[in-house]
Amino acid sequence: MARTFALFHFACIVGLVFSNGEYRERETVSVTASNGMPWPMPQQYSSTSDTFTINRNAFKFRATGQSCDILSSAFFRYQTIIFGFREEVLKFHPKFKAGSLTELDVNVKNKCDQYPYLGMDESYNLTISSSGATLNSNSVWGALRGIETFSQLVLQRSKDMFTVNGTTIVDYPRFQHRGLLLDTSRHFLDVSIIKQNLLAMSQSKFNVFHWHIVDDQSFPYTSNNFPDMATMGAYDSKHIYTQDQIAEIIEFARILGIRVIPEFDSPGHSQSWGKSIKDLLTKCYSSGKPNGQYGPIDPSLETSYGFLSKFFAEIAKVFPDHYVHLGGDEVNFDCWKSNPNITAFMKQKDFGTDYAKLEEYYMQRLLEIVSGVKKGYMIWQEVVDNGAKVRPDTVVEVWKGGYQNEMSKITSLGYKTLLSSCWYLNYISYGSDWPKYYNCEPYNFNGTAEQKKLVIGGETCMWGEYVDNTNVLSRTWPRASVVAERLWSAQNVKDANAAAPRLEEHRCRMIKRGFPAEAVNGPGYCFQEYSIHEPV
């Protein structure tokens, strides 16, 4: 059953149709080859006029070094993505003339890691010549990135015949954290949509899925310890992620070399939490009486921290990545100010009327809890802006305007820093808006060389107020790919005019692979246009 699902899933990706009990290729017009330029642009890339033919019925990937399930899965996946399904794989051996290519030798030097992680080695070298095609990498993660690049170099000439030019590539990412945020609270996203997005991420060399899984509007995470949080906090019983589904998403991402970092934002953005956890949220007062409204998590009650300890102990077990995102942004103090118990607590702690100190108190308690379950944490910039003391390995995400000053400040404090301010894809406008994302540079702030080293990457964000299953993929892609290149490629790869033809090619490549990537460069066409798959 699992293999049948995988075949159907990847058939959709490469544009095959399931009909009368078998897969067949869609009818297409003859394809004129594009330039075969990779996206993101490799660090060092050169090609020759030497052309090598590939017959899809005879080509194979071959592991010549370390191997594991991640690499085996990649071989199957890319055989499908590049060539589609074949009638009988390697059952016959046609005679080839000189200049044909029958395999890509993939040599992974070191034993495979179980999960991707911050700082993993994603470098690789790829050579295609008359001697054959070889991909060398230190880790399986580098092999994944190199195989993706190889897939982009191969051009289809006819149904069974493909070509690739002689190529030499030395490649590695500029930044180690290249993330994309999806928000599944404001609008629920199906598991299948999340998987499609993960596949698209891997094909632009993103390596972090920042899963903003819950927020004020809904709580779709099904907790083992607190199951009523989803029962009462989700939109309804259909709009939840079970533990099995979460494990499925994490495993799907692992095979693609993508980390899954969940975000459980507090003390604000937590209205859905309080629907099932008694006295967790602060009661708001008017004229000295509770008015029926609730504010952020109540930081004055020890029961709040008892709940958080048990909850994050579970999260530490469910999500294998070292990091969890704790939010900490946009905390409205009005409800805290209205509550007499909070006022008394402030007096007891000598906070005066500085409610930023109350937020700092809460965040420090929360950070201690998360540290206690051996997790690192990411936070939005407000936590540090409000003076909270955080661990040296904390990752601070800068998202507000005026990011240059904020990046300078955060790095001067010695914290690892991420940039997302200029990469909010949910802000849309008519016309070609991607150049503004392409022109954003994470190092564009005043700071020493040591400060610049603390910038570990960035994230592009698709917040969920106005996207759901119907449009999240088309609105995200290929605009997110623009950010992917700025985070992977060399700093001097920044000319939007030069990038435009490659981005157009990458968009058409995504469409051929089954993604509804929207037009970004004005009028034009792809040789194989997107179409809705026939129903099964």
Side-chain angles (χ1 to χ4, degrees), residues 15 38 103 169 182 189 205-206 232 245 270 287 297 336 368 401 475 498 507 515:
E103 64 186 25
I169 289 175
L182 286 185
L189 298 176
K205 297 185 173 68
F206 280 107
M232 301 175 68
Q245 289 174 322
S270 55
S287 302
I297 289 176
W336 281 351
E368 289 170 4
R475 189 165 293 179
R507 175 195 173 243
F515 298 99

Side-chain angles (χ1 to χ4, degrees), residues 1 30 92-93 100 212 298 307 377 384 407 427 437 444:
M1 178 64 186
S30 59
F92 66 94
H93 301 276
S100 63
H212 191 87
D298 191 332
F307 158 76
Y377 42 76
V384 175
M407 296 285 283
Y427 294 136
Y437 304 125
N444 184 23

Side-chain angles (χ1 to χ4, degrees), residues 61 115 323 359 408 415 479 491 520 531-532:
F61 294 94
Y115 287 98
Y323 285 90
E359 181 187 9
S408 181
Y415 298 122
R479 293 159 75 230
Q491 186 174 355
V520 290
S531 61
I532 302 298

Side-chain angles (χ1 to χ4, degrees), residues 237-395:
S237 61
K238 293 182 179 179
H239 293 80
I240 61 170
Y241 301 106
T242 67
Q243 287 290 318
D244 285 345
Q245 289 174 322
I246 292 166
E248 182 182 344
I249 289 168
I250 293 170
E251 173 62 12
F252 196 84
R254 179 186 77 90
I255 291 295
L256 299 174
I258 296 173
R259 303 162 57 203
V260 178
I261 298 179
E263 180 180 355
F264 293 92
D265 194 355
S266 72
H269 292 275
S270 55
Q271 291 296 299
S272 62
W273 303 37
K275 292 181 180 180
S276 63
I277 307 300
K278 184 179 179 181
D279 295 329
L280 180 66
L281 302 182
T282 303
K283 294 181 176 68
C284 304
Y285 279 66
S286 296
S287 302
K289 297 179 180 180
N291 60 17
Q293 301 297 311
Y294 293 89
I297 289 176
D298 191 332
S300 69
L301 298 178
E302 280 301 312
T303 53
S304 297
Y305 304 107
F307 158 76
L308 292 168
S309 295
K310 190 173 182 180
F311 180 75
F312 280 101
E314 173 186 324
I315 297 304
K317 294 177 181 177
V318 172
F319 293 91
D321 197 86
H322 177 64
Y323 285 90
V324 60
H325 204 301
L326 300 177
D329 63 317
E330 297 181 320
V331 180
N332 190 313
F333 296 157
D334 290 343
C335 186
W336 281 351
K337 291 178 180 178
S338 74
N339 186 296
N341 297 324
I342 296 287
T343 302
F345 184 79
M346 293 275 289
K347 184 176 181 180
Q348 176 189 337
K349 294 293 184 181
D350 292 326
F351 292 162
T353 58
D354 188 351
Y355 286 85
K357 289 184 177 179
L358 182 61
E359 181 187 9
E360 177 190 354
Y361 172 83
Y362 170 86
M363 289 305 302
Q364 287 180 341
R365 292 286 302 270
L366 177 60
L367 299 181
E368 289 170 4
I369 288 169
V370 174
S371 297
V373 294
K374 309 301 181 186
K375 283 288 188 182
Y377 42 76
M378 296 169 55
I379 52 178
W380 297 109
Q381 67 182 71
E382 287 98 321
V383 179
V384 175
D385 289 346
N386 290 336
K389 296 180 177 64
V390 295
R391 281 195 332 205
D393 67 340
T394 299
V395 176

Side-chain angles (χ1 to χ4, degrees), residues 120 122 145 176-178 205-208 257-259:
M120 60 186 168
E122 298 173 273
R145 309 309 176 220
Q176 55 190 293
H177 183 120
R178 306 178 307 282
K205 297 185 173 68
F206 280 107
N207 66 357
V208 176
I258 296 173
R259 303 162 57 203

Side-chain angles (χ1 to χ4, degrees), residues 17-269:
V17 182
F18 189 82
S19 179
N20 296 324
E22 63 181 7
Y23 287 98
R24 59 179 173 81
E25 294 188 61
R26 291 185 179 277
E27 295 180 3
T28 59
V29 297
S30 59
V31 176
T32 301
S34 58
N35 292 328
M37 293 289 286
W39 189 285
M41 177 62 73
Q43 298 288 338
Q44 299 177 34
Y45 167 69
S46 63
S47 64
T48 70
S49 59
D50 297 335
T51 302
F52 306 96
T53 60
I54 302 173
N55 187 302
R56 71 171 182 170
N57 294 305
F59 182 87
K60 66 178 180 179
F61 294 94
R62 185 166 72 105
T64 58
Q66 297 287 336
S67 188
C68 59
D69 61 333
I70 298 170
L71 196 59
S72 298
S73 176
F75 288 174
F76 171 77
R77 184 168 65 254
Y78 280 99
Q79 196 85 47
T80 304
I81 288 173
I82 300 171
F83 305 114
F85 289 100
R86 299 173 294 179
E87 297 297 331
E88 294 289 337
V89 179
L90 300 177
K91 285 290 181 68
F92 66 94
H93 301 276
K95 294 180 180 179
F96 289 105
K97 297 182 291 185
S100 63
L101 191 68
T102 58
E103 64 186 25
L104 173 64
D105 290 339
V106 180
N107 179 28
V108 177
K109 180 179 179 181
N110 299 320
K111 186 178 179 180
C112 295
D113 302 301
Q114 184 178 6
Y115 287 98
Y117 57 92
L118 179 64
M120 60 186 168
D121 187 347
E122 298 173 273
S123 64
Y124 67 92
N125 297 339
L126 175 63
T127 303
I128 303 170
S129 68
S130 58
S131 301
T134 304
L135 192 161
N136 291 304
S137 65
N138 292 322
S139 75
V140 70
W141 315 120
L144 292 182
R145 309 309 176 220
I147 294 171
E148 171 58 37
T149 298
F150 176 80
S151 77
Q152 297 181 9
L153 302 176
V154 176
L155 303 173
Q156 186 170 10
R157 300 298 185 179
S158 64
K159 177 182 177 182
D160 290 327
M161 198 59 62
F162 297 73
T163 63
V164 65
N165 279 21
T167 304
T168 301
I169 289 175
V170 177
D171 202 13
Y172 49 88
R174 180 158 71 118
F175 293 107
Q176 55 190 293
H177 183 120
R178 306 178 307 282
L180 188 152
L181 177 150
L182 286 185
D183 169 9
T184 60
S185 172
R186 292 172 175 91
H187 278 101
F188 182 85
L189 298 176
D190 286 347
V191 171
S192 62
I193 296 294
I194 293 175
K195 284 184 172 183
Q196 282 274 79
N197 190 72
L198 287 166
L199 280 168
M201 288 174 64
S202 72
Q203 293 172 22
S204 285
K205 297 185 173 68
F206 280 107
N207 66 357
V208 176
F209 171 35
H210 177 167
W211 192 356
H212 191 87
I213 188 169
V214 301
D215 209 295
D216 282 332
Q217 291 77 12
S218 73
F219 196 98
Y221 171 78
T222 302
S223 168
N224 286 322
N225 292 333
F226 304 97
D228 285 347
M229 293 184 78
T231 302
M232 301 175 68
Y235 287 128
D236 63 28
S237 61
K238 293 182 179 179
H239 293 80
I240 61 170
Y241 301 106
T242 67
Q243 287 290 318
D244 285 345
Q245 289 174 322
I246 292 166
E248 182 182 344
I249 289 168
I250 293 170
E251 173 62 12
F252 196 84
R254 179 186 77 90
I255 291 295
L256 299 174
I258 296 173
R259 303 162 57 203
V260 178
I261 298 179
E263 180 180 355
F264 293 92
D265 194 355
S266 72
H269 292 275

Side-chain angles (χ1 to χ4, degrees), residues 381-382 385 398-407 419-422 424 427:
Q381 67 182 71
E382 287 98 321
D385 289 346
V398 174
W399 70 276
K400 290 186 174 182
Y403 74 87
Q404 293 89 343
N405 290 336
E406 187 72 12
M407 296 285 283
L419 176 64
S420 63
S421 300
C422 44
Y424 272 39
Y427 294 136

